[in-house]
Short mmCIF file of all heavy atoms in Angstrom, two decimals:
data_model
loop_
_atom_site.label_atom_id
_atom_site.label_comp_id
_atom_site.label_asym_id
_atom_site.label_seq_id
_atom_site.Cartn_x
_atom_site.Cartn_y
_atom_site.Cartn_z
N THR U 1 156.92 57.75 83.45
CA THR U 1 158.13 57.06 83.87
C THR U 1 157.97 56.63 85.32
O THR U 1 157.04 57.07 86.01
CB THR U 1 159.37 57.96 83.70
OG1 THR U 1 160.53 57.19 83.93
CG2 THR U 1 159.34 59.14 84.64
N TYR U 2 158.85 55.77 85.79
CA TYR U 2 158.77 55.25 87.15
C TYR U 2 160.03 55.61 87.91
O TYR U 2 161.13 55.47 87.40
CB TYR U 2 158.58 53.74 87.13
CG TYR U 2 157.27 53.36 86.48
CD1 TYR U 2 157.21 53.04 85.13
CD2 TYR U 2 156.09 53.37 87.20
CE1 TYR U 2 156.01 52.74 84.52
CE2 TYR U 2 154.89 53.06 86.60
CZ TYR U 2 154.85 52.75 85.26
OH TYR U 2 153.66 52.45 84.65
N VAL U 3 159.82 56.08 89.13
CA VAL U 3 160.93 56.43 90.01
C VAL U 3 160.96 55.40 91.13
O VAL U 3 160.01 55.28 91.90
CB VAL U 3 160.75 57.85 90.60
CG1 VAL U 3 161.84 58.16 91.60
CG2 VAL U 3 160.73 58.88 89.48
N ALA U 4 162.04 54.63 91.18
CA ALA U 4 162.18 53.59 92.20
C ALA U 4 162.59 54.22 93.53
O ALA U 4 163.52 55.03 93.58
CB ALA U 4 163.20 52.56 91.77
N LEU U 5 161.89 53.86 94.58
CA LEU U 5 162.25 54.30 95.92
C LEU U 5 163.19 53.28 96.53
O LEU U 5 163.10 52.08 96.25
CB LEU U 5 161.00 54.45 96.79
CG LEU U 5 159.97 55.47 96.31
CD1 LEU U 5 158.74 55.44 97.21
CD2 LEU U 5 160.58 56.86 96.28
N ASP U 6 164.09 53.75 97.38
CA ASP U 6 164.99 52.83 98.07
C ASP U 6 164.17 51.95 99.00
O ASP U 6 163.22 52.43 99.64
CB ASP U 6 166.03 53.62 98.87
CG ASP U 6 166.92 54.45 97.97
OD1 ASP U 6 167.14 54.03 96.82
OD2 ASP U 6 167.37 55.52 98.41
N PRO U 7 164.52 50.67 99.12
CA PRO U 7 163.79 49.78 100.04
C PRO U 7 163.91 50.28 101.48
O PRO U 7 164.95 50.79 101.90
CB PRO U 7 164.49 48.44 99.89
CG PRO U 7 165.22 48.51 98.59
CD PRO U 7 165.56 49.95 98.39
N LEU U 8 162.81 50.15 102.21
CA LEU U 8 162.77 50.55 103.61
C LEU U 8 162.64 49.29 104.47
O LEU U 8 161.90 48.38 104.14
CB LEU U 8 161.57 51.44 103.89
CG LEU U 8 161.49 52.78 103.16
CD1 LEU U 8 160.15 53.45 103.44
CD2 LEU U 8 162.62 53.68 103.59
N ILE U 9 163.36 49.26 105.58
CA ILE U 9 163.17 48.23 106.58
C ILE U 9 162.78 48.96 107.85
O ILE U 9 163.56 49.75 108.40
CB ILE U 9 164.44 47.39 106.78
CG1 ILE U 9 164.78 46.67 105.48
CG2 ILE U 9 164.24 46.39 107.92
CD1 ILE U 9 166.04 45.86 105.52
N ILE U 10 161.57 48.70 108.30
CA ILE U 10 160.99 49.45 109.41
C ILE U 10 160.80 48.52 110.59
O ILE U 10 160.19 47.45 110.46
CB ILE U 10 159.64 50.06 108.97
CG1 ILE U 10 159.89 51.00 107.79
CG2 ILE U 10 158.97 50.79 110.12
CD1 ILE U 10 158.75 51.13 106.87
N SER U 11 161.31 48.91 111.75
CA SER U 11 161.11 48.12 112.95
C SER U 11 159.74 48.46 113.53
O SER U 11 159.37 49.63 113.63
CB SER U 11 162.22 48.37 113.97
OG SER U 11 162.25 49.73 114.32
N LEU U 12 159.01 47.43 113.92
CA LEU U 12 157.65 47.60 114.40
C LEU U 12 157.50 47.01 115.80
O LEU U 12 158.12 46.01 116.12
CB LEU U 12 156.66 46.88 113.47
CG LEU U 12 156.72 47.27 112.00
CD1 LEU U 12 155.91 46.30 111.18
CD2 LEU U 12 156.19 48.67 111.83
N GLY U 13 156.64 47.60 116.56
CA GLY U 13 156.27 47.05 117.87
C GLY U 13 157.38 47.16 118.89
O GLY U 13 158.56 47.19 118.57
N SER U 14 156.96 47.20 120.13
CA SER U 14 157.93 47.30 121.22
C SER U 14 158.06 45.99 121.98
O SER U 14 159.05 45.76 122.65
CB SER U 14 157.51 48.41 122.19
OG SER U 14 156.22 48.13 122.71
N LYS U 15 157.08 45.10 121.89
CA LYS U 15 157.12 43.84 122.63
C LYS U 15 158.05 42.84 121.96
O LYS U 15 159.06 42.45 122.52
CB LYS U 15 155.71 43.26 122.75
CG LYS U 15 154.77 44.13 123.54
CD LYS U 15 153.38 43.55 123.56
CE LYS U 15 152.44 44.52 124.26
NZ LYS U 15 151.07 44.09 124.20
N ALA U 16 157.67 42.38 120.80
CA ALA U 16 158.50 41.43 120.06
C ALA U 16 159.06 42.17 118.84
O ALA U 16 158.33 42.84 118.13
CB ALA U 16 157.66 40.24 119.60
N PRO U 17 160.35 42.04 118.61
CA PRO U 17 160.93 42.76 117.46
C PRO U 17 160.41 42.18 116.15
O PRO U 17 160.58 41.01 115.85
CB PRO U 17 162.43 42.54 117.61
CG PRO U 17 162.57 41.33 118.47
CD PRO U 17 161.35 41.27 119.33
N ARG U 18 159.74 43.03 115.39
CA ARG U 18 159.23 42.66 114.08
C ARG U 18 159.67 43.72 113.09
O ARG U 18 159.89 44.87 113.47
CB ARG U 18 157.70 42.56 114.09
CG ARG U 18 157.22 41.46 115.03
CD ARG U 18 155.77 41.24 114.92
NE ARG U 18 155.50 40.53 113.68
CZ ARG U 18 154.30 40.19 113.29
NH1 ARG U 18 153.26 40.49 114.03
NH2 ARG U 18 154.09 39.55 112.17
N HIS U 19 159.80 43.32 111.85
CA HIS U 19 160.25 44.24 110.82
C HIS U 19 159.36 44.15 109.59
O HIS U 19 158.81 43.10 109.29
CB HIS U 19 161.70 43.93 110.42
CG HIS U 19 162.65 44.17 111.53
ND1 HIS U 19 162.96 43.21 112.47
CD2 HIS U 19 163.37 45.26 111.87
CE1 HIS U 19 163.81 43.70 113.34
NE2 HIS U 19 164.09 44.95 112.99
N LEU U 20 159.27 45.27 108.91
CA LEU U 20 158.55 45.35 107.65
C LEU U 20 159.54 45.76 106.58
O LEU U 20 160.26 46.75 106.73
CB LEU U 20 157.43 46.39 107.73
CG LEU U 20 156.74 46.75 106.42
CD1 LEU U 20 155.93 45.57 105.90
CD2 LEU U 20 155.84 47.96 106.59
N ARG U 21 159.60 44.98 105.52
CA ARG U 21 160.43 45.34 104.36
C ARG U 21 159.48 45.87 103.31
O ARG U 21 158.54 45.19 102.90
CB ARG U 21 161.20 44.13 103.85
CG ARG U 21 162.09 44.49 102.68
CD ARG U 21 163.09 43.38 102.38
NE ARG U 21 163.75 43.60 101.12
CZ ARG U 21 164.78 44.40 100.93
NH1 ARG U 21 165.28 45.07 101.93
NH2 ARG U 21 165.32 44.53 99.74
N PHE U 22 159.74 47.09 102.86
CA PHE U 22 158.85 47.78 101.95
C PHE U 22 159.66 48.40 100.82
O PHE U 22 160.66 49.07 101.06
CB PHE U 22 158.09 48.89 102.70
CG PHE U 22 157.20 49.73 101.84
CD1 PHE U 22 155.93 49.31 101.53
CD2 PHE U 22 157.65 50.94 101.33
CE1 PHE U 22 155.10 50.08 100.72
CE2 PHE U 22 156.83 51.72 100.53
CZ PHE U 22 155.55 51.28 100.23
N SER U 23 159.22 48.16 99.59
CA SER U 23 159.82 48.87 98.45
C SER U 23 158.69 49.21 97.48
O SER U 23 157.70 48.49 97.38
CB SER U 23 160.91 48.03 97.77
OG SER U 23 160.37 46.86 97.23
N ALA U 24 158.87 50.31 96.78
CA ALA U 24 157.82 50.80 95.90
C ALA U 24 158.43 51.62 94.78
O ALA U 24 159.61 51.98 94.80
CB ALA U 24 156.82 51.65 96.68
N GLN U 25 157.58 51.91 93.79
CA GLN U 25 157.94 52.80 92.70
C GLN U 25 156.83 53.82 92.54
O GLN U 25 155.66 53.52 92.79
CB GLN U 25 158.15 52.03 91.40
CG GLN U 25 159.37 51.15 91.44
CD GLN U 25 159.72 50.61 90.06
OE1 GLN U 25 159.11 50.94 89.06
NE2 GLN U 25 160.74 49.78 90.02
N LEU U 26 157.21 55.00 92.10
CA LEU U 26 156.25 56.06 91.87
C LEU U 26 156.03 56.23 90.37
O LEU U 26 156.99 56.28 89.60
CB LEU U 26 156.76 57.38 92.45
CG LEU U 26 157.10 57.37 93.94
CD1 LEU U 26 157.71 58.71 94.35
CD2 LEU U 26 155.88 57.05 94.77
N GLU U 27 154.77 56.32 89.98
CA GLU U 27 154.43 56.59 88.57
C GLU U 27 154.37 58.11 88.42
O GLU U 27 153.57 58.78 89.07
CB GLU U 27 153.09 55.96 88.23
CG GLU U 27 152.70 56.12 86.79
CD GLU U 27 151.41 55.41 86.47
OE1 GLU U 27 151.31 54.19 86.72
OE2 GLU U 27 150.48 56.09 85.99
N VAL U 28 155.25 58.63 87.55
CA VAL U 28 155.46 60.07 87.45
C VAL U 28 155.42 60.49 85.99
O VAL U 28 155.98 59.81 85.13
CB VAL U 28 156.84 60.43 88.06
CG1 VAL U 28 157.14 61.90 87.96
CG2 VAL U 28 156.93 59.95 89.50
#
């Protein structure tokens, strides 16, 4: 079965504000 993880929005870097949007599922 698959367990969906909540989407993550991660702020990156200190100079220019950049963001990473990440979502995944776990095979369990």
